Each structure stands twice: as structure tokens, then as C-alpha cells.
Amino acid sequence: MSSTSRRPDRKSQLAGLAAELFRARGYHGVGINDIAAAAGITGPALYRHFADKQAILAYVLLGGVREMEDATAAALSSLRRPDGAQVERLLRGIAEASVERRDVAALWRWEGRHLSPEDQREIARRSTALLSTWAKELMNLRADLGPADAELLCWAAMSVFGSVSVHRTSVARKRFAELLAELARRVLHVRLPDAVPEPALAPAGVGVPSRREQILSAAAELFHRKGFHAVSMEDIGAAAGIAGPSVYRHFSSKAALLGAIARRAGDRLLLDAERVRLSSADETEALRGLIESYVRVLTGSAELAVSFSADAVNYAEDEGPELLRIQRDYVAQWVSLLGAAQPALNPREAKITVHAALTVANDLSRTRRVNSRPGLAAELRVLMAAVLDLD
């Protein structure tokens, strides 16, 4: 966005204030009166601009899609035939927009489920059209790619740009955009492995899981598919084969269930990270081991996806800080290893890079258009390694 752009109109200003509140407190934690108070107006005055809170969220997110569409059109209209320079302009334009409006990316990632079905379909339609445009340009440059593989790589590039929403680390704006464009460029150059079936999982063992384990597994799957607020204790009980009230014998609340899921996923990752550290000869080998571990946990159950989702704002008050510390400790191990393996990266740049790699895996594993690919786990490992520049 140019510095000479006109000052945002009142509607855009109100939407911007709402976006900040949504990101800080979560969609369900913000009311119309909260937004009005932040703007210094009354609730009825706010209704003159928006029908309801949902309409505000839609206005913000559709505006973000429109900015990406504009950046894409500007980059692709400059040349008749696609070439590397044209793609560079596209990557840089999207990177700059992502840095400038990282709040919009955060809202789409965490709060998009609260849009009306119509608005969800509209954003999905336009996002898919954008990805199709990118994939077409990529195939023009890479004759070795088919449509499905080109689309996968473009989704991965989109995840790199969207990764700015999952953390608050920053560097100088120009350098931030340059780094994001470079990370996206790496995934677009990836040579995907052949689709080889993954080795069979270990046997499930003998006997029946404890009732607590059954409840945790059922809750993780439901939270992953529907979101925390759309799931009741009765739903969880039914999925576990018991009456809803019986769930309370094991967990005091839904928030306690969510915390238990997150703690178990975090403990698994931290224990495996320690195993990798002790068994690796150098930092690059350790990073590859962490990638292997992360993809295995991510694709093995819904626990990790739930733990790093928007539902984290619903942790019990006494558990939230500890669970956040576990996540930060885990990411810090990746950052420390990457910094040692690539001294040219300063700590902030290393952290941005690590978050981009993790986000690529998180996003692709839950994106319906690509997560049924037979060799997805191997592809996630290759893509994460490319973002970290391990090759």
C-alpha cells in the first residue's frame, strides 16, 4: 500500500479496530460494545456501518483477499510471457502485503470459521482462483510440474506468507519482506519426491484404551473438525461411547480437556526433541530429526493441530501460560539449531524461518485440496527442509 494512499474511511477505521480486538481476545471474546468503545462511539452508531460483528470480520477478510488479488494482477500484467522476474515481483508483492497486513492473515487463520457460510465460500472461491493463477504461472516456468504438484507448491508458498500470523517476531519491514519472498521461492523450487506409501504405523497393541484416553482422542478429533465452541460435552461423550455428564468424571470442563490435549502433544514433541538432540551428530542432522518427529506427530493424530489452533485462547486460565511456555520452548530448540547451522541468520530471522516451516506443515496437513495426497508426509518433510535451507 502506498504511503500516499488516502486516509482510511470511517468504516475501514472501525474494521481495523475490530481486527485488533479479534486478534487479541478471539472472536467470541469481543462484543459490538467493545468495538464501539475502542472507537469512542456507541453501539447503535457502529450499527450504521455494519449489520453485526460477523459483517465486520467479513469486511476485514474480504479486503485482505482483494489486496492479494491486486498484488497478483499488478505483478502478472507487466509482461506478456511469464519469466523469473515476473514471479519475483509476485513473490515480493505478496510478501510486502503480508508484512503490512499480518493482522488480516491472523484473523483468516484463527477466526475465519466464524464467517457466514456465504462469506466462507466467497473467500474460498477467490483464494482458490488465486492459487490456480499462481499454479498456472509456476507450470509455465517449470515444465516438470503437473497441475496437482504445482498447486501443492503454491499452497506451501501461501503458507509461508501466512506464517506471519502465528507469531509476533519482526525485523525491519524491507528485510522481512525479502526473507518471506526467499522462503516462498525455496518451496516453489522444490523437487517433490515420488509418491511412495508411508511405512505402516506400529500395531495398536492389545486391550482397550482407558476411558480417559478414549475421551481425549474423541475430543481432539471433534475440536479439530468443528472447533472448540461448536462441540459440547455431550458430543464428546457420544463420540467416546458414554453419556455426556460422565465426561465430567475425568475432566472438569471443556477447557480442561483442551489443556490436556495440548499438554500431551507438547510433551510428546519435547521428549522427541530431546531424543533427537542426544542422537544427532550436528545441527543439520538434528533439524532433520525434528522435521521427521514433527511430521509423524502431526499426521498421526489431531492433537497437535488442535494444540496450535485458534482454540488456544480457550485454555483454562491457570493452564494457558504453562502451555504457551511449552510451545515456546519447543520452537526455541528449532531456532537455536537453525541459528547454529546457519550463522548468517540473526535470531529473529531464524525464528521467522522456523515458524514458516512449521506453518507449511500445519497448513498442508489440514487443507482438504492437498491433504489426501498419498505421499503427503514425505512431501511435508521435503518442504520443511527446503524452507530451512537444509539442502
Side-chain angles (χ1 to χ4, degrees):
M1 183 180 296
S2 170
S3 60
T4 60
S5 298
R6 292 186 304 171
R7 184 178 179 180
D9 58 27
R10 186 56 168 162
K11 189 170 185 176
S12 296
Q13 290 174 341
L14 293 172
L17 288 171
E20 293 176 6
L21 291 174
F22 289 152
R23 185 176 185 190
R25 305 181 195 174
Y27 181 79
H28 285 287
V30 178
I32 284 290
N33 289 335
D34 297 321
I35 300 169
I41 60 176
T42 64
L46 184 59
Y47 283 119
R48 289 201 291 267
H49 299 277
F50 296 100
D52 53 27
K53 186 173 68 169
Q54 193 179 59
I56 302 176
L57 182 62
Y59 181 89
V60 173
L61 296 183
L62 285 167
V65 173
R66 186 166 54 251
E67 288 183 2
M68 284 201 298
E69 290 171 336
D70 291 345
T72 299
L76 300 184
S77 65
S78 57
L79 293 174
R80 291 184 178 180
R81 294 184 60 190
D83 65 6
Q86 191 176 23
V87 172
E88 287 298 315
R89 278 190 287 275
L90 175 57
L91 294 179
R92 185 57 183 266
I94 299 297
E96 290 173 348
S98 299
V99 172
E100 182 75 22
R101 299 295 306 277
R102 64 196 299 185
D103 59 320
V104 175
L107 288 178
W108 171 238
R109 181 176 301 276
W110 307 130
E111 310 295 352
R113 72 180 70 173
H114 302 302
L115 293 172
S116 69
E118 294 78 12
D119 285 330
Q120 287 187 23
R121 285 193 293 269
E122 176 64 9
I123 289 179
R125 181 189 67 77
R126 290 166 63 175
S127 298
T128 300
L130 262 178
L131 264 294
S132 296
T133 298
W134 293 8
K136 180 180 178 181
E137 298 302 321
L138 183 58
M139 285 189 292
N140 284 332
L141 291 173
R142 288 190 55 180
D144 60 306
L145 291 177
D149 288 350
E151 184 175 292
L152 174 73
L153 296 183
C154 288
W155 276 111
M158 178 73 83
S159 294
V160 167
F161 297 130
S163 68
V164 300
S165 68
V166 304
H167 62 90
R168 296 185 180 275
T169 305
S170 190
V171 293
R173 185 171 299 182
K174 180 180 179 181
R175 172 56 184 154
F176 203 164
E178 289 174 348
L179 180 57
L180 287 179
E182 169 59 25
L183 301 181
R185 186 183 308 112
R186 290 176 189 171
V187 300
L188 293 179
H189 282 86
V190 160
R191 298 283 177 178
L192 292 170
D194 294 332
V196 177
E198 289 289 306
L201 296 176
V206 297
V208 179
S210 69
R211 183 65 73 190
R212 186 177 189 276
E213 287 299 308
Q214 293 176 39
I215 293 170
L216 281 170
S217 296
E221 183 61 33
L222 287 171
F223 290 157
H224 180 49
R225 286 193 290 111
K226 299 182 178 181
F228 181 83
H229 291 284
V231 176
S232 67
M233 289 297 245
E234 287 72 21
D235 296 330
I236 296 168
I242 60 176
S246 297
V247 178
Y248 289 104
R249 297 176 185 172
H250 303 271
F251 299 96
S252 60
S253 64
K254 274 203 310 177
L257 249 173
L258 183 65
I261 292 168
R263 182 175 295 279
R264 187 162 67 171
D267 286 344
R268 284 182 179 178
L269 290 175
L270 286 173
L271 285 171
D272 220 19
E274 181 64 7
R275 176 192 61 77
V276 167
R277 184 186 69 80
L278 293 173
S279 62
S280 298
D282 56 36
E283 289 83 6
T284 298
E285 182 180 337
L287 285 167
R288 290 192 180 280
L290 287 180
I291 289 173
E292 180 75 31
S293 166
Y294 192 80
V295 172
R296 183 173 61 251
V297 175
L298 181 64
T299 57
S301 75
E303 291 175 358
L304 187 56
V306 170
S307 303
F308 287 174
S309 73
D311 291 328
V313 299
N314 298 296
Y315 291 147
E317 186 174 347
D318 59 339
E319 285 191 295
E322 174 64 11
L323 292 170
L324 183 60
R325 183 193 64 76
I326 290 173
Q327 292 183 6
R328 287 176 172 170
D329 285 351
Y330 180 67
V331 171
Q333 293 193 45
W334 287 71
V335 174
S336 176
L337 289 169
L338 184 61
Q342 298 186 25
L345 289 176
N346 68 43
R348 287 177 176 269
E349 292 170 346
K351 190 173 183 180
I352 290 168
T353 303
V354 165
H355 275 296
L358 295 173
T359 302
V360 166
N362 293 341
D363 282 359
L364 295 185
S365 68
R366 60 189 178 213
T367 299
R368 293 179 183 177
R369 291 179 65 89
V370 300
N371 65 8
S372 61
R373 292 169 64 96
L376 181 66
E379 291 168 341
L380 294 181
R381 293 191 289 267
V382 170
L383 288 166
M384 293 181 75
V387 174
L388 299 179
D389 202 20
L390 299 186
D391 295 326

